Amino acid sequence: MTEPLLRIEDLTVRFRDPNREGGTLTALDGVSLDVAPGEILGLVGESGSGKTTLGKTALRLHEPAGGRILLRGRDIAHLSEAALRPHRRAMQMVFQDPLSSFNPRQTIATAIATPLLLHRLCSKAEVRARVLAILEEVGLPAAFAPRFPHQMSGGQLQRAAIGRALALSPDLIVADEAVSKLDVSVRAQILNLLRAVQRRSGLAMIFITHDLHVARFLCHRVAVMHFGKLLEIGPVEEVFDRPRHDYTRALIGTLHSPAAKQGNAP
Amino acid sequence: MSALLKVRNLRIHAGPVEVVRQVDLVLNAGETLGVIGESGSGKTVTCLALLRLLPDGLTAGADAMVWRDADLGSLSDREFRPYRGRQMAMVFQDPVGSFNPVKTIGWHLRTALDRRRAGAPWRPLAVTLLADVGIPHPDAVLERYPHQLSGGMLQRALIAMIVALEPGLIIADEPTTNLDNIVEQQILALFRDLQERLSAAFVFITHDIGIAAQISDRLLVMYAGEVVETGPAAAILAAPRHPYTRGLIATARALTARAETLAEIPGQLPLPGARPTGCVFRPRCAVARPGCEAPQPLRAIAPGRAIRCLLDD
């Protein structure tokens, strides 16, 4: 196997328990996994299983209580905010609700241009051309550049959010339920876009979803989480066709679900 | 089969804008109608209008609305009240909102049971109801408050309340969307069981074709405030006729079949104030042709089956 882009070793994350003075909740309990360059790893599991915590901790949006996060061999688990900054460009995130991930008072062009300028990836003179090229890459006409978030639909905004993440040419994108809030017809557009973008740019992706059909469509490998632990991980076909863990078997079982009513086509 | 609820030409307005138009519904006892559509298609407001629960700013009108033998259209809001909950009940996506947060689960069940228990002690009845929907330790759960139960357990408790009410019509609006896959299947099984026992008319709103296929006898497909296709679920799923229905089903199938590229429906739902004239799906339709710019009536193509499209194949 090639050198992993991201290696997570024995990662443990604890939060303060809001219901118990001085108590802690263990959100992640000794999780280890690798993400290879250019692969899409799916994280599946029910809500509360630790999928989002794992994704956010991999990007160091949380500091772990134990374990290591190796980004290209370098442990970033306890780096200071300043020491993390050079690595931030390489790791981007796409959230479930695109509306809340944009500043409502900034145009889409500004939202995409700001990180480009902050990371000095292009000069002020070039920035407009870069923004338009990014919009085109995610299938948005140039006319969207001066729009504000509230003037766009959920699908268009999610395209812009993906464009903003891509603008920095990251090595890794963590997408947290990035298609869950979208309408069925628009979801297909965004899934096709994610797949095309990933192939074009060869970036790696951690794709968090509770939708097994979506995981199966998009991901190369899939990791099943349950109560903060990693139950199993493997190539998507293998996990779906030959699940090893009882919980995974139950989860996969919902896919080939109980007979449709009176012989309705599935 | 006897019709419990008949609605003709239901329409809903937000000021001057027509949000939902020309909806005809016939709901039969013991039958499940699956209502499919994306957010903004009008499926939820249509059902809220049936229960007179529309939010402020929306108004509904209909040529006829008949429940069993009662003309609901002629009733004042006060006269309508006994129908809501007792005759027609609704389950929402988020069960938390259906409970009073400062009252126990037991209080809710006792209230629901009060109308029917005729002096019998409520507690054993409530325990049986909770046990029937698969809630472990029902005796202890009666003492719990809504926030102490998980989403799946709360949805079960809500279903137990509905069983207690024995309504003739149950409307469920995306009742499993917030739940995990395993719990979702359990809740669907409960609904099927519940419907058989009460032989109620059942309306199940969902955006998930797979779920609709599992539970529906008939389907109603909504797009941009209009019914675009309706008919027996098996017939529509086997051979959808409206291009929008075809797109929805093709997308769902492609995802299941792990196609290389998913079938897309290009474009997006128009806003209620900016609907195109003529066929509302026309700007997104791959097979639009001359004639589509004229308004399309919902026309019968087979017994019990109709589409709002001029295409014949």
Side-chain angles (χ1 to χ4, degrees), chain A residues 179 187-195 214 217-218, chain B residues 255 262:
Chain A
V179 298
R187 193 176 62 184
Q189 298 172 8
I190 299 298
L191 283 173
N192 284 337
L193 173 69
L194 282 172
R195 183 177 255 198
V214 167
F217 168 77
L218 193 67
Chain B
L255 198 56
L262 297 180

Side-chain angles (χ1 to χ4, degrees), chain B:
Chain B
M1 228 168 341
S2 56
L4 281 178
L5 182 69
K6 273 187 268 189
V7 178
R8 206 168 68 240
N9 193 15
L10 174 74
R11 60 232 172 233
I12 301 169
H13 285 88
V17 177
E18 204 172 22
V19 181
V20 167
R21 55 185 164 193
Q22 290 175 15
V23 174
D24 294 338
L25 281 176
V26 178
L27 301 176
N28 299 313
E31 191 183 57
T32 300
L33 176 72
V35 180
I36 307 178
E38 303 178 54
S39 50
S41 62
K43 54 196 194 308
T44 296
V45 286
T46 298
C47 291
L48 290 176
L50 299 180
L51 296 189
R52 296 205 194 178
L53 286 174
L54 283 177
D56 288 346
L58 292 180
T59 51
D63 292 353
M65 204 184 273
V66 180
W67 171 256
R68 295 198 159 110
D69 293 316
D71 175 12
L72 296 182
S74 66
L75 300 183
S76 68
D77 282 350
R78 195 188 166 80
E79 290 165 328
F80 180 74
R81 216 176 288 156
Y83 290 90
R84 191 190 301 128
R86 280 169 245 192
Q87 306 261 19
M88 311 172 178
M90 187 150 176
V91 181
F92 295 93
Q93 181 174 341
D94 176 16
V96 177
S98 303
F99 286 85
N100 183 335
V102 298
K103 300 288 189 187
T104 61
I105 302 298
W107 179 88
H108 287 89
L109 279 166
R110 194 181 64 209
T111 310
L113 281 165
D114 266 349
R115 300 185 183 117
R116 304 198 188 255
R117 66 193 167 102
W122 68 275
R123 207 177 166 96
L125 292 173
V127 166
T128 311
L129 285 170
L130 289 181
D132 279 354
V133 295
I135 292 183
H137 317 298
D139 231 338
V141 167
L142 288 179
E143 311 302 330
R144 301 267 170 81
Y145 289 88
H147 75 272
Q148 295 175 305
L149 300 188
S150 69
M153 282 300 147
L154 213 50
Q155 201 64 287
R156 284 168 206 259
L158 184 58
I159 293 172
M161 274 163 65
I162 289 179
V163 178
L165 289 167
E166 296 179 15
L169 167 66
I170 302 165
I171 300 174
D173 187 0
E174 306 257 10
T176 61
T177 304
N178 277 344
L179 304 175
D180 303 307
N181 305 57
I182 295 175
V183 182
E184 173 172 68
Q185 287 303 328
Q186 295 165 346
I187 298 285
L188 283 180
L190 272 182
F191 272 120
R192 268 179 295 214
D193 184 47
L194 168 70
Q195 192 220 15
E196 269 172 37
R197 256 193 301 160
L198 299 182
S199 71
F202 194 22
V203 177
F204 199 96
I205 304 178
T206 178
H207 64 272
D208 187 325
I209 304 268
I211 300 287
Q214 281 183 44
I215 201 150
S216 311
D217 300 300
R218 284 189 300 131
L219 286 179
L220 188 81
V221 185
M222 293 193 71
Y223 180 78
E226 293 182 347
V227 175
V228 295
E229 180 155 8
T230 179
I236 290 182
L237 291 164
R241 289 284 300 274
H242 193 283
Y244 176 66
T245 321
R246 284 183 178 171
L248 279 184
I249 291 177
T251 299
R253 293 253 162 84
L255 198 56
T256 321
R258 308 195 61 213
E260 185 57 25
T261 311
L262 297 180
E264 289 182 14
I265 304 175
Q268 61 202 312
L269 203 68
L271 291 173
R275 287 209 200 98
T277 55
C279 168
V280 284
F281 187 62
R282 177 168 50 106
R284 300 179 75 181
C285 184
V287 290
R289 58 188 61 185
C292 293
E293 67 283 351
Q296 299 300 319
L298 193 66
R299 64 186 179 92
I301 53 167
R305 204 161 165 201
I307 54 172
R308 199 182 285 279
C309 178
L310 56 77
L311 293 183
D312 262 327
D313 50 295

